[in-house]
Amino acid sequence: MRETTVLQLGIRRSAEMAAVFMIGDGLLGLLQPERHVDLWRSDVSAVDVLVRPFAGHPTRRRAYGLLQIGAGILLASALTRRGTDADG
């Protein structure tokens, strides 16, 4: 078994955190689309541009939530397939 470097461990942890974020954000967007979009609306246009397409479109946000969940699961699965899971 190959020894994991600090950089490789950091990359693996970052990818895992991204997967967790994608799944969690997707789930909130799926279950509470209007509340979730309202929370992220902002006077800062660079931030608001990310959620503006979902304002007033809960079905669109739910669909995007499903995509996020699927992508997060795929990312986590890819980490496991590449032997990057931490099973002792």
Side-chain angles (χ1 to χ4, degrees):
M1 183 163 87
R2 195 174 69 182
E3 188 172 320
T4 302
T5 67
V6 173
L7 178 60
Q8 289 170 326
L9 182 59
I11 291 169
R12 287 174 26 201
R13 287 179 177 171
S14 296
E16 183 84 358
M17 286 174 29
V20 168
F21 175 81
M22 291 162 61
I23 294 166
D25 191 63
L27 188 58
L28 287 173
L30 180 66
L31 297 176
Q32 301 177 338
E34 288 137 347
R35 186 205 59 80
H36 193 57
V37 169
D38 288 345
L39 176 67
W40 287 98
R41 293 303 305 258
S42 174
D43 291 335
V44 178
S45 61
V47 174
D48 196 54
V49 72
L50 298 173
V51 294
R52 193 177 310 137
F54 303 109
H57 301 281
T59 302
R60 184 183 294 173
R61 182 58 184 100
R62 285 187 178 105
Y64 183 67
L66 285 173
L67 287 173
Q68 284 182 290
I69 293 167
I73 291 170
L74 283 174
L75 176 56
S77 296
L79 292 170
T80 301
R81 282 195 307 273
R82 289 187 204 134
T84 58
D85 55 342
D87 56 341

